[in-house]
Amino acid sequence: MTAEFISAVEDGNILRVRIMLKDSLLVDRSFKKFKEMHKYAEDKGLKIWMDNAAKVETLPETSWNEDLMNLELTRLVNNFTKERAIYCSKIIKKVYGNNTVSAGTPRSDQKSTKNHTYASDRTSAGQPKHVNPQSSDDSRDYETILHEVKKLNEILKNNSAGSRRSWKYDDIESIQKMANNICTACDRINKRRK
């Protein structure tokens, strides 16, 4: 457990805690770190899980790939339920297996290219299918993602100055809107991919 996580828990920064918990799923694929961090936060009185979150719509295992994993991990932050965390952990196990490859590194049975096309992402003709950042729709969605991430980082930097963070309700609302815009852009990219 990192000092940054302990600090986020002590500050009651639930969004930061959830982001670090989500990231731990990729770092430690045994998910022991996630359980340890979650227990620590709960023992300190933080309520991690969301009660009235949206129902998780799961896809069949045959469609689980790195793109879906990244999308579901993004959704986890805004819909932090046990059900979605379990779903994400299952996708991570399917995508990376039980090996110790670091997050973002293709497995040996995957083919990596500049556009991150993997063996599981092939058309019926065997051709790779991937997002085409040159198309106007994909380009617009990529720009949305990059723009929202930039704004999000600005808010996070402004709130990390000093030893104690202070969050404004407007910041929280802005972060939620940015996250929703990112999820929407990712959803559109995934729909065009099918």
Side-chain angles (χ1 to χ4, degrees), residues 109-111 117-122:
D109 63 329
Q110 293 174 321
K111 180 181 177 186
T117 304
Y118 300 101
S120 60
D121 276 349
R122 302 249 171 220

Side-chain angles (χ1 to χ4, degrees), residues 7-178:
S7 175
V9 170
E10 288 174 3
D11 291 345
N13 186 339
I14 192 75
L15 176 63
R16 188 77 182 122
V17 167
R18 286 176 176 156
I19 289 170
M20 286 190 264
L21 280 165
K22 181 251 323 170
D23 291 344
S24 77
L25 292 172
L26 286 172
V27 173
D28 171 25
R29 302 215 195 95
S30 70
F31 311 119
K32 289 178 186 172
K33 182 175 257 192
F34 179 90
K35 292 173 188 168
E36 175 187 309
M37 292 166 68
H38 175 262
K39 182 176 177 351
Y40 176 82
E42 275 192 337
D43 289 348
K44 294 293 184 179
L46 263 171
K47 184 181 174 200
I48 301 300
W49 304 114
M50 298 172 113
D51 294 327
N52 299 322
K55 174 96 173 108
V56 177
E57 293 182 26
T58 60
L59 293 174
E61 192 172 337
T62 54
S63 64
W64 293 0
N65 58 34
E66 191 171 19
D67 290 333
L68 178 67
M69 177 190 72
N70 291 329
L71 177 64
E72 290 300 334
L73 286 168
T74 302
R75 288 177 173 164
L76 177 62
V77 175
N78 290 324
N79 183 9
F80 209 88
T81 62
K82 290 179 183 178
E83 182 183 12
R84 188 170 296 280
I86 290 168
Y87 181 50
C88 287
S89 65
K90 288 178 181 178
I91 295 171
I92 290 167
K93 280 186 181 178
K94 167 83 163 60
V95 170
Y96 291 115
N98 292 326
N99 59 28
T100 57
V101 175
S102 64
T105 304
R107 296 185 326 241
S108 60
D109 63 329
Q110 293 174 321
K111 180 181 177 186
S112 177
T113 69
K114 183 179 174 187
N115 293 318
H116 304 288
T117 304
Y118 300 101
S120 60
D121 276 349
R122 302 249 171 220
T123 65
S124 58
Q127 296 298 316
K129 60 180 182 179
H130 54 272
V131 178
N132 179 5
Q134 304 304 318
S135 79
S136 62
D137 288 338
D138 287 344
S139 178
R140 195 171 324 133
D141 287 328
Y142 273 118
E143 288 302 318
T144 297
I145 293 167
L146 293 171
H147 178 70
E148 297 299 332
V149 167
K150 183 178 177 183
K151 290 189 330 190
L152 179 61
N153 283 330
E154 288 171 8
I155 289 175
L156 294 175
K157 283 179 189 173
N158 289 338
N159 286 300
S160 64
S163 61
R164 303 230 2 128
R165 293 183 179 125
S166 62
W167 291 87
K168 299 175 188 169
Y169 288 109
D170 290 345
D171 290 336
I172 300 299
E173 288 178 14
S174 294
I175 290 169
Q176 188 171 20
K177 285 178 187 173
M178 288 178 239

Side-chain angles (χ1 to χ4, degrees), residues 173-191:
E173 288 178 14
S174 294
I175 290 169
Q176 188 171 20
K177 285 178 187 173
M178 288 178 239
N180 287 336
N181 290 341
I182 291 169
C183 286
T184 300
C186 290
D187 285 341
R188 284 193 302 258
I189 290 169
N190 276 330
K191 284 179 185 170

